[in-house]
């Protein structure tokens, strides 16, 4: 059956937007070497991630907090304040577009973030525009007759709107709502991301695209393993941007290591691709805080509670641990037969926990222990392992009561009287590897006290320091 005339007209109209082939009169440009000091610097706008004239990508499982993260970062950019630790080069003009939420929901989220961070109308000024895809759709490509067609008219309209608003940054949340092509088709997605790169290039703004991860990426504890490859659909999307990061929810094991009873509400922000700047050596952590808007009335007296992303740093297992604590642990170890295996009833971690007054739920199975007891057990294990690595404790194999050879924990380098007198708090393991070693080249630890048993054995150099690893790989 013939298609209606108006439909054929619509298709023909869209085809007019398809890019025409470039003429074959290209001429290659001779290179003229100039003094590097005369080359203009890259125009970084925010967090060594957003750069003028380029597109970036944020990949996240659903329900983790990506939209709240984008809102708080937008507020940091327009206010010029380091709400999450990073400040923009100057107060920026930001266009925030959300293709899923209605306008009033966006107002709730922004209002909650403003309340939490104590921002005012003057902090925002006229530098923020906020739009919902429900009232202003931004679809720039469609599949027509088996082909993917970019709507050049819509692309031009977006460019004109951004130029009129003098925006520095455009946040598109999520990317999937800006096209109607097969997201698993590399050719189709390449055309879409090319259109967004064109928008960034023509306007000189930074485009920040937000994208969903695969279902596997939503499994806590696996996102950091999958990395940026967890991005849903065609690889052309990740390949087509200058920088890409991914969000990974905290796992149950991670929560236990840092003393949390539940991992919910915590996630990592990890750079997965950085073409123009080095990747940060470690992921940063974020925490969702609940904020009440105080807008209760009538049938809804409690009003709304809204999640707001905040900066969060995991606690360090060595916080508050002193040399005298280590001396007490050494005395306890020396007075008994303690095993290195945490499956043993005579595990050395029990001695560490007892001396440090850490509740590890001794005698209970994991399922019987509380979240705080599991966290305590992880902390005791971490302290024990670090002291073994530093040489303060050692593992030796010897026969047990049944004449079976087993690994036992014994005292290594004993704490000396001078160490007790001169160092009250143990050095913390340098979390940034070489950077930590630079602050204390002997121990690789961030400290101003004499080098002492951080991770590296005394007498070795910083090259032996443990390499930096995310929380999922190193017990904190």
């Amino acid at each position: 059956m013939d298609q209606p005339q108006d439909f054929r007209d619509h298709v023909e109209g869209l085809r007019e937007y398809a890019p025409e082939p470039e003429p074959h009169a290209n001429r290659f440009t001779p290179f003229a070497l100039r003094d590097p000091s005369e080359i203009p610097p890259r125009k970084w706008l925010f967090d060594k991630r957003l750069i003028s004239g380029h597109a970036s990508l944020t990949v996240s499982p659903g329900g983790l907090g990506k939209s709240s993260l984008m809102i708080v970062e937008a507020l940091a950019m327009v206010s010029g304040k380091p709400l999450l630790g990073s400040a923009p080069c100057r107060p920026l003009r930001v266009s925030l577009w959300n293709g899923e939420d209605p306008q009033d929901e966006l107002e709730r989220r922004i209002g909650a973030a403003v309340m939490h961070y104590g921002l005012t109308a003057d902090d925002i000024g006229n530098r923020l525009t906020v739009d919902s895809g429900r009232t202003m759709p931004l679809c720039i490509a469609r599949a027509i007759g088996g082909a993917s067609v970019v709507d050049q008219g819509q692309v031009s309209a977006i460019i004109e709107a951004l130029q009129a608003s003098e925006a520095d940054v455009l946040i598109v949340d999520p990317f999937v709502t800006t096209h109607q092509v097969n997201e698993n088709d590399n050719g189709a997605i390449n055309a879409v991301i090319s259109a967004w790169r064109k928008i960034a290039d023509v306007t000189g703004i930074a485009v920040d695209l937000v994208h969903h991860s695969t279902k596997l990426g939503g499994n806590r504890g696996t996102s950091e393993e999958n990395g940026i490859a967890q991005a849903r659909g065609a690889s052309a999307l990740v390949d087509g941007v200058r920088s890409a990061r991914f969000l990974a929810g905290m796992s149950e094991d991670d929560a236990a290591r840092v003393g949390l009873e539940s991992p919910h509400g915590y996630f990592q922000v990890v750079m997965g691709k950085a073409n123009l700047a080095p990747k940060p050596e470690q992921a940063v952590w974020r925490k969702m805080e609940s904020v009440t808007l105080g807008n209760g009335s009538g049938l809804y007296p409690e009003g709304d509670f809204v999640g707001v992303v905040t900066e969060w740093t995991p606690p360090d297992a060595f916080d508050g641990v002193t040399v005298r604590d280590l001396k007490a642990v050494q005395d306890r170890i020396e007075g008994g037969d303690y095993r290195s295996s945490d499956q043993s009833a005579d595990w050395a971690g029990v001695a560490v926990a007892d001396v440090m007054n850490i509740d590890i739920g001794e005698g209970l199975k994991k399922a019987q222990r509380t979240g705080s007891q599991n966290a305590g057990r992880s902390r005791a294990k971490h302290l024990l392992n670090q002291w073994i690595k530093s040489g303060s404790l050692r593992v030796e194999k010897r026969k047990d009561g049944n004449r079976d050879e087993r690994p036992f924990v014994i005292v290594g380098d004993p704490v000396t009287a001078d160490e007790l007198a001169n160092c009250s708090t143990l050095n913390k393991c340098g979390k940034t590897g070489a950077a930590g070693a630079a602050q204390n080249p002997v121990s690789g630890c961030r400290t101003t006290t004499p080098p002492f048993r951080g991770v590296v054995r005394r007498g070795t150099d910083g090259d032996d320091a443990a390499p930096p690893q995310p929380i999922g790989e190193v017990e904190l």
Side-chain angles (χ1 to χ4, degrees):
M1 188 172 96
D2 291 339
Q3 294 285 358
Q5 182 63 42
D6 59 347
F7 177 81
R8 291 199 299 272
D9 291 343
H10 177 67
V11 171
E12 291 303 319
L14 284 177
R15 285 175 177 162
E16 292 178 4
Y17 296 130
E20 295 294 330
E22 293 291 332
H24 297 285
N26 296 324
R27 282 194 271 177
F28 295 105
T29 305
F31 177 73
L33 182 65
R34 58 174 167 168
D35 189 328
S37 65
E38 298 176 357
I39 302 173
R42 293 169 181 149
K43 296 180 180 179
W44 294 106
L45 297 177
F46 183 67
D47 205 23
K48 285 295 183 186
R49 190 179 68 84
L50 300 182
I51 183 173
S52 294
H54 294 280
S56 298
L57 181 69
T58 298
V59 177
S60 171
L64 200 61
K66 64 181 184 303
S67 294
S68 179
L69 175 65
M70 306 313 292
I71 285 172
V72 173
E73 288 185 341
L75 291 173
M77 286 186 271
V78 299
S79 68
K81 297 184 176 182
L83 303 185
L84 293 173
S86 295
C89 60
R90 56 178 170 78
L92 303 173
R93 302 181 71 87
V94 178
S95 290
L96 173 64
W97 183 86
N98 187 295
E100 296 177 333
D101 294 325
Q103 196 77 16
D104 58 355
E105 181 60 28
L106 295 175
E107 289 184 31
R108 291 185 191 99
R109 294 186 178 195
I110 294 171
V114 166
M115 291 176 63
H116 178 82
Y117 288 103
L119 300 177
T120 66
D122 289 339
D123 291 322
I124 298 173
N126 63 351
R127 294 181 294 278
L128 179 65
T129 66
V130 180
D131 291 283
S132 167
R134 299 193 183 190
T135 55
M136 191 181 80
L138 296 182
C139 184
I140 64 172
R142 295 177 175 85
I144 300 174
S148 299
V149 180
V150 173
D151 185 343
Q152 298 294 350
Q154 179 70 287
V155 170
S156 296
I158 294 172
I159 289 173
E160 291 176 8
L162 291 170
Q163 290 174 332
S165 65
E166 299 181 338
D168 297 299
V169 176
L170 170 63
I171 297 172
V172 177
D173 179 16
F175 167 75
V176 70
T177 58
T178 67
H179 68 83
Q180 295 177 4
V181 303
N182 182 354
E183 71 175 7
N184 295 307
D185 185 329
N186 269 308
I189 293 301
N190 184 61
V192 179
I193 191 62
S194 294
W196 281 115
R197 285 203 309 266
K198 175 184 176 181
I199 291 170
D201 183 59
V202 172
T203 60
I205 70 167
V207 174
D208 199 2
L209 303 171
V210 182
H211 188 51
H212 295 107
S213 69
T214 62
K215 291 183 179 179
L216 182 62
N219 295 333
R220 291 180 179 271
T222 63
S223 293
E224 61 269 29
E225 297 173 6
N226 299 325
I228 199 62
Q230 69 180 300
R232 196 175 71 187
S235 61
L237 176 58
V238 174
D239 295 339
V241 298
R242 279 299 182 186
S243 69
R245 63 179 178 174
F246 63 93
L247 311 187
M250 180 182 283
S251 69
E252 295 282 352
D253 288 342
D254 291 342
R257 291 185 180 106
V258 296
L260 299 173
E261 295 197 14
S262 171
H264 297 288
Y266 298 85
F267 62 89
Q268 296 182 76
V269 182
V270 189
M271 285 300 296
K273 173 184 176 181
N275 284 355
L276 298 180
K279 295 180 185 179
E281 295 189 19
Q282 278 202 301
V284 295
W285 284 89
R286 301 290 182 243
K287 178 184 178 182
M288 295 295 292
E289 294 279 5
S290 182
V291 174
T292 177
L293 296 185
N295 60 344
S297 64
L299 296 175
Y300 311 101
E302 292 185 356
D304 294 314
F305 294 84
V306 181
V308 174
V309 168
T310 61
E311 193 175 14
W312 183 76
T313 302
D316 193 295
F318 276 89
D319 284 345
V321 179
T322 69
V323 175
R324 287 179 175 79
D325 293 323
L326 173 57
K327 179 66 167 64
V329 169
Q330 288 183 332
D331 290 345
R332 182 69 60 87
I333 293 293
E334 192 171 27
D337 291 324
Y338 291 98
R339 300 268 298 278
S340 65
S341 172
D342 62 355
Q343 302 300 311
S344 171
D346 298 321
W347 178 44
V350 174
V352 172
D354 189 38
V355 169
M356 300 296 299
N357 195 28
I358 302 171
D359 182 7
I360 63 171
E362 184 180 357
L364 300 177
K365 295 182 178 179
K366 183 175 181 179
Q368 298 172 315
R369 296 193 293 263
T370 65
S372 60
Q373 288 172 335
N374 284 324
R377 188 177 181 88
S378 292
R379 185 188 180 204
K381 185 176 182 180
H382 178 68
L383 293 172
L384 175 64
N385 289 341
Q386 293 302 95
W387 280 326
I388 290 173
K389 287 180 181 179
S390 72
S392 300
L393 300 174
R394 291 199 178 104
V395 176
E396 73 169 15
K397 288 188 176 182
R398 65 171 187 256
K399 292 183 179 180
D400 62 10
N402 296 322
R403 302 192 62 77
D404 294 322
E405 193 172 73
R406 305 288 186 188
F408 286 80
V409 176
I410 62 172
V411 174
D413 300 329
V415 174
T416 67
D418 286 343
E419 288 170 335
L420 282 172
N422 297 329
C423 186
S424 61
T425 303
L426 290 183
N427 298 342
K428 299 175 183 177
C429 170
K431 291 184 179 178
T432 55
Q439 294 180 40
N440 188 324
V442 177
S443 69
C445 294
R446 300 174 308 209
T447 180
T448 56
T449 55
F452 183 75
R453 316 175 194 277
V455 170
V456 184
R457 292 179 182 271
R458 288 180 296 176
T460 63
D461 58 27
D463 291 337
D464 291 330
Q469 294 175 309
I471 187 172
E473 300 172 27
V474 171
E475 295 170 335
L476 297 181

